[in-house]
Amino acid sequence: MAHFTAQPITEDLAKLNNAIFETAQDNLKRDLTEFVQVFENSNHVKEDTLAASYVQLTNCSQSLQAAKTRKDDLQSIINQGNKTQEEMDTLSTMLEDIKNAQETRTPPFSKETAEFLEQLEMERQEQLKGLRRQQDKIEEHYAKKTRESTYRNLVGSSFFYS
């Protein structure tokens, strides 16, 4: 009988692991050492900065919860705004319909108004004719008086008094 051992399989797996992950692990080690070197040599990062960053990170969950409630509030505001916009659109269409109906509809008593204005115009014309007749009569009367006066002055005034 033949005995199988796991030793060659584990060796092959170790080689496969090194082949697949060795470059990634080397890159990660290199990046970490570079980060540590930059972090240690940097003058920008102080203890106070680290403490403030830590506080901000620990308060992050509270801020996320507040943001979630604000998101819900914003969503309700957006929904209310959409409803308001729909109502405004409805009112706008209603106003346009009313405006169009008013433009196409004749004003009340337009026929009666036209007849009344026509009657007024006719009365005005008749009154103007009457005024012209009276003016002509007055002009005739004064013309006659002027002729008589002229005649009297030319012929003499004794003729009219006798």
Side-chain angles (χ1 to χ4, degrees), residues 124-136:
R124 187 177 145 269
Q125 288 176 359
E126 287 178 15
Q127 289 176 353
L128 283 174
K129 285 179 185 178
L131 282 174
R132 284 187 196 126
R133 277 189 224 122
Q134 287 179 356
Q135 186 179 7
D136 289 342

Side-chain angles (χ1 to χ4, degrees), residues 106-119:
T106 59
F109 304 113
S110 64
K111 183 178 178 182
E112 290 83 358
T113 305
E115 289 175 0
F116 177 73
L117 290 175
E118 187 177 318
Q119 182 182 359

Side-chain angles (χ1 to χ4, degrees), residues 6-17:
Q7 185 66 24
I9 296 173
T10 55
E11 288 175 1
D12 290 340
L13 283 176
K15 287 179 185 177
L16 180 63
N17 186 25

